[in-house]
């Protein structure tokens, strides 16, 4: 999230921000995970003036009507897409359609010369980090746009962008230090899923985006059947009931989340039926217990500032990126 504030102000003018009455987040496979992860931030900062929601590119391209999107006013709705390559066919079609209908289309991408970039009105180019991968860059770009919208609509106090920048940079440094200290724990968490035949990834609300990303990266890389769900569905339904000891379950659980208690119950149940359980959470690990979670292969990230709890999710995805490469 290292951007010049003037760049964002020049890219997204006040008139264009004020005209927006609705905002949709979308993306290709990993971009959709980033969109889902950052949707909570857009809702908290921007929903007082505009509706914010996630829509898959496939639905937007082939099934959504102009009325579904909220087309009808200048520069509204905003369609904000995230994509590393900008080459996904469905995403390109969705952005072409939205632009033709008069929506204000924006692409956050690592490839500003991609086909998708040619289909939108504005492009915010981001650079993948060696340790964070493209997903962290995409999330940072989306966060910067959310801050620009909130600032232009006076939802935040003056200087908010600088504070967000500083918080992102500081938290990134804390996460890197924590991951270095927990190198053995990282390898243990990666190793516990070495011999599984299927993978479940579980996350609530914004962590659903991290769960989706984990299924793509950890399950897709190993060509494993994968299921993505939240803790409530898992607790009441569960998946892959045959040979449970061969199934991995990765829970992404921020300790501050309203659903943390339900997640703990789901984790305990997963362990009782023999799942191989891994957890990514925040807070300090003491006496085998992390933020009240049952014992398992646990990776602990630092707790983000209370006012910026949304920081946990993109950096949990950063940790998943690192797990994939171990």
């Amino acid at each position: 999230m290292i951007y010049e504030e003037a760049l964002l102000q020049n890219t997204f003018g006040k008139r264009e921000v004020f005209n927006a009455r609705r905002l949709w987040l979308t993306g290709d496979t990993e971009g959709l995970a980033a969109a889902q992860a950052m949707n909570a931030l857009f809702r908290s900062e921007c929903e007082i003036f505009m509706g914010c929601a996630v829509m898959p590119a496939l639905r937007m391209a082939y099934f959504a009507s102009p009325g579904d999107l909220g087309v009808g006013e200048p520069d509204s709705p905003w369609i904000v897409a995230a994509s590393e390559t900008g080459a996904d066919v469905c995403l390109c079609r969705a952005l072409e359609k939205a632009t033709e209908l008069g929506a204000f289309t924006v692409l956050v991408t690592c490839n500003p010369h991609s086909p998708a970039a040619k289909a939108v009105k504005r492009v915010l180019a981001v650079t993948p980090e060696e340790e964070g991968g493209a997903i962290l860059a995409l999330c940072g770009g989306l966060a910067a746009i959310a801050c620009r919208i909130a600032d232009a609509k006076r939802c935040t106090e003056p200087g908010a962008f600088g504070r967000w920048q500083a918080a992102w940079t500081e938290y990134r440094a804390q996460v890197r230090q924590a991951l270095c200290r927990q190198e053995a724990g990282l390898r243990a968490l990666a190793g516990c899923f070495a011999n599984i035949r299927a993978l479940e990834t579980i996350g609530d609300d914004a962590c659903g985006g991290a769960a989706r990303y984990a299924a793509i990266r950890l399950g897709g890389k190993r060509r494993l059947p994968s299921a993505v769900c939240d803790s409530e569905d898992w607790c009441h339904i569960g998946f892959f009931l045959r040979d449970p000891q061969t199934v991995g379950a990765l829970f992404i659980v921020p300790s501050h989340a309203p659903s943390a208690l339900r997640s703990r119950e789901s984790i305990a149940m997963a362990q009782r039926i023999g799942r191989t359980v891994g957890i990514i959470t925040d807070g300090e690990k003491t006496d085998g217990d992390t933020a009240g979670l049952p014992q398992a292969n646990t990776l602990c990230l630092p707790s983000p500032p209370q006012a910026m709890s949304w920081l946990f999710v993109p950096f949990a995805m950063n940790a998943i990126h690192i797990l994939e490469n171990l």
Side-chain angles (χ1 to χ4, degrees):
M1 193 180 166
I2 307 302
Y3 308 99
E4 292 290 337
E5 188 169 9
L7 169 66
L8 290 172
Q9 291 174 345
N10 291 334
T11 305
F12 311 108
K14 281 191 175 182
R15 177 185 61 80
E16 293 156 343
V17 176
F18 274 108
N19 282 345
R21 294 293 179 268
R22 196 167 186 180
L23 183 145
W24 294 100
L25 295 171
T26 190
D28 54 13
T29 306
E30 293 184 9
L32 187 63
Q36 186 175 352
M38 304 309 291
N39 185 39
L41 174 62
F42 277 88
R43 290 203 313 267
S44 66
E45 297 298 329
C46 311
E47 198 162 32
I48 188 172
F49 289 108
M50 59 172 71
C52 305
V54 176
M55 182 182 292
L58 179 65
R59 179 184 166 193
M60 187 178 293
Y62 299 107
F63 301 104
S65 68
D68 294 333
L69 296 177
V71 172
E73 299 179 14
D75 296 325
S76 188
W78 275 38
I79 308 294
V80 181
S83 172
E84 178 182 0
T85 64
D88 183 80
V89 174
C90 281
L91 181 63
C92 291
R93 175 64 191 121
L95 294 174
E96 289 170 356
K97 172 183 174 180
T99 302
E100 290 170 0
L101 290 173
F104 186 80
T105 48
V106 180
L107 178 67
V108 180
T109 183
C110 302
N111 183 5
H113 306 293
S114 63
K118 297 174 183 177
V120 299
K121 295 183 178 179
R122 298 285 191 279
V123 175
L124 181 61
V126 297
T127 303
E129 300 181 15
E130 183 177 349
E131 296 180 2
I135 193 69
L136 193 58
L138 295 178
C139 288
L142 292 173
I145 292 172
C147 188
R148 170 58 183 154
I149 293 173
D151 178 64
K153 288 182 174 288
R154 295 292 187 265
C155 297
T156 59
E157 296 178 0
F161 186 79
R163 290 193 295 274
W164 283 30
Q165 290 258 40
W168 180 280
T169 302
E170 181 180 355
Y171 190 66
R172 178 174 59 186
Q174 292 174 0
V175 168
R176 288 180 175 174
Q177 291 174 5
L179 293 178
C180 288
R181 290 196 305 267
Q182 299 179 78
E183 183 177 354
L186 266 169
R187 295 191 180 280
L189 182 57
C192 78
F193 294 134
N195 298 315
I196 59 174
R197 67 170 181 85
L199 177 67
E200 302 167 341
T201 57
I202 302 95
D204 294 323
D205 301 320
C207 287
R212 179 188 295 273
Y213 182 70
I216 294 167
R217 283 294 181 177
L218 302 180
K221 181 179 180 180
R222 302 177 187 181
R223 299 182 180 179
L224 297 173
S226 301
V228 181
C229 61
D230 62 26
S231 63
E232 182 176 15
D233 285 344
W234 195 95
C235 187
H236 292 294
I237 301 172
F239 295 93
F240 304 124
L241 296 179
R242 182 180 177 184
D243 301 326
Q245 68 278 6
T246 66
V247 180
L250 178 63
F251 289 81
I252 297 97
V253 188
S255 59
H256 61 269
S259 61
L261 177 60
R262 187 177 66 210
S263 295
R264 290 196 287 270
E265 293 175 348
S266 295
I267 291 168
M269 181 182 296
Q271 291 176 312
R272 284 198 298 270
I273 65 175
R275 290 286 191 273
T276 299
V277 176
I279 304 169
I280 298 176
T281 186
D282 62 339
E284 295 298 325
K285 185 174 182 179
T286 58
D287 299 328
D289 179 81
T290 304
L293 299 174
Q295 293 186 30
N297 293 290
T298 303
L299 179 65
C300 303
L301 303 184
S303 294
Q306 187 173 5
M308 296 183 180
S309 57
W310 56 270
L311 280 169
F312 170 78
V313 183
F315 285 92
M317 298 165 88
N318 176 21
I320 291 165
H321 171 81
I322 295 172
L323 281 174
E324 176 207 2
N325 294 293
L326 289 178

